[in-house]
Amino acid sequence: MRTEEAIRLVAAARTDADLFGTDAPARRYRELVGALHPDRLGAADPRVRAAASDALTTVTTRWRGTAAPAPVHLGDVADLHDHGDGRLLKVPRQPGDNDLMAREARALRRIAEHGDPRHLAYVPRLIDSYPVRDPATGAERLVNELATVPGLRSLAEVRRAYPTGVDPRDAAWMWRRLLVALGLAHRAGVVHGAVLPRHVLIEPDAHGLVLVDWCFSTEPGGLVPALVPGQEDFYPPEVVGKRPCGPGTDIALAARCMTWLMATRVPPELRAFAAGCQGPALSARPDDAWRLLRELDEVLDRLYGPRTFRPFTLNP
């Protein structure tokens, strides 16, 4: 879309539907921002630059109004808004958290580019990431537009439904799939950094799993930027001590999640397996999620025999 065309469209639009359309409003928004952005204009006539600036303010202000219905989920640093068509808009509550949103976008792009396509369903799909101006304050927030799967429930919800702990035979498929998600990310050079019960979502009926909230991600050897308040007991020492992290950081977090999920029902063999994933030194922990998955399968086979499908419900 050319700048002059975008200016005319904004001036003529009387409703949000006129401005953004109804079939693909987010795409229209991005087209308008791209056409009106000052970096696009170069040495344009000052009158054109002024008109484009005014039009851009109108676009971002009106998009903020139409793009953020009541949140469907309140996250650690951002709220998720259902924008229909399987899309969620993740909007940070504070502009100061834009850097965390950028971390998530960077991590999801890297996984999509370098991860095994067979396993990409284990992480959210980033549709786009773009700034939106707050009409009240003028502050810009970086919004991540994500593809979502309906019917997902967090491990925190699962534990509330099973206060004495989940049957280890059910926790087994969750643990296996969580290791697949971590193997996917680690091979792409991404450490999640916050594998917590609230960030591990499952599809109870189909036994699917999606690892969400990549805002705290880093690369191997990097630092996790922050701890999720109230979840400090889950983290291994290197995160709390602000030391370099690696795949073993995620593996320790995952093991902690799963023993927490099973509570008093953890069999000794799985408790020992989890302990081996949570040593105090990062260098002494497993760092290959795919190899660890094979080892977990061996433990599960000794405990329960060949794998069979067990229907799972959150209403015991």
Side-chain angles (χ1 to χ4, degrees):
M1 181 181 296
R2 294 182 296 110
T3 300
E4 294 79 1
E5 179 186 357
I7 293 172
R8 288 194 298 270
L9 191 154
V10 174
R14 296 291 176 264
T15 67
D16 291 336
D18 292 339
L19 187 57
F20 302 117
T22 56
D23 292 336
R27 185 170 65 221
R28 172 65 65 80
Y29 170 79
R30 294 192 297 271
E31 290 174 350
L32 290 168
V33 169
L36 298 168
H37 198 281
D39 293 345
R40 168 86 176 267
L41 302 183
D45 184 289
R47 289 173 297 180
V48 173
R49 294 182 66 87
S53 177
D54 290 343
L56 182 59
T57 298
T58 298
V59 168
T60 56
T61 298
R62 289 175 63 173
W63 175 255
R64 173 65 175 166
T66 189
V72 295
H73 177 71
L74 303 180
D76 301 316
V77 299
D79 299 331
L80 290 172
H81 305 267
D82 189 348
H83 207 267
D85 301 326
R87 294 177 296 130
L88 290 177
L89 298 182
K90 187 171 181 178
V91 183
R93 288 187 290 277
Q94 301 296 331
D97 288 329
N98 284 346
D99 61 323
L100 299 180
M101 303 297 291
R103 279 179 180 262
E104 177 172 72
R106 186 164 56 247
L108 293 177
R109 286 193 185 102
R110 183 169 182 83
I111 293 171
E113 292 171 3
H114 302 286
D116 189 329
R118 294 174 298 174
H119 305 304
L120 290 179
Y122 285 84
V123 302
R125 180 170 63 87
L126 180 71
I127 300 172
D128 203 355
S129 182
Y130 44 82
V132 171
R133 188 178 300 277
D134 189 319
T137 65
E140 278 195 348
R141 287 175 169 82
L142 185 64
V143 173
N144 289 344
E145 185 177 348
L146 307 169
T148 182
V149 176
L152 295 175
R153 309 288 292 275
S154 73
L155 292 191
E157 293 177 86
V158 174
R159 175 63 190 273
R160 285 195 291 270
Y162 290 85
T164 61
V166 171
D167 190 307
R169 292 170 295 177
D170 296 316
W173 65 259
M174 303 176 199
W175 202 342
R176 295 188 73 259
R177 282 154 180 74
L178 182 52
L179 288 175
V180 171
L182 295 179
L184 168 74
H186 296 165
R187 291 284 172 89
V190 177
V191 174
H192 184 277
V195 184
L196 302 168
R198 65 178 70 184
H199 298 156
V200 182
L201 310 185
I202 65 165
E203 291 181 271
D205 296 335
H207 285 194
L209 181 143
V210 181
L211 181 57
V212 302
D213 205 338
W214 295 78
C215 290
F216 305 94
S217 60
T218 186
E219 59 186 20
L223 303 181
V224 172
L227 279 70
V228 175
Q231 303 291 294
E232 292 84 358
D233 289 347
F234 280 87
Y235 287 95
E238 66 272 14
V239 180
V240 178
K242 301 185 184 303
R243 298 193 297 271
C245 299
T249 302
D250 286 345
I251 286 171
L253 282 161
R256 176 75 176 90
C257 279
M258 301 314 301
T259 54
W260 173 86
L261 186 67
M262 289 180 278
T264 60
R265 305 181 68 175
V266 188
E269 295 86 348
L270 285 179
R271 190 173 296 281
F273 180 84
C277 298
Q278 298 180 84
L282 176 62
S283 60
R285 285 184 225 133
D287 63 359
D288 186 328
W290 294 113
R291 183 182 301 125
L292 192 65
L293 175 58
R294 293 193 293 271
E295 294 176 9
L296 176 60
D297 282 343
E298 292 173 1
V299 175
L300 294 172
D301 186 68
R302 290 196 296 270
L303 277 172
Y304 304 117
R307 291 201 304 270
T308 58
F309 184 86
R310 282 173 50 86
F312 182 73
T313 175
L314 288 188
N315 299 303

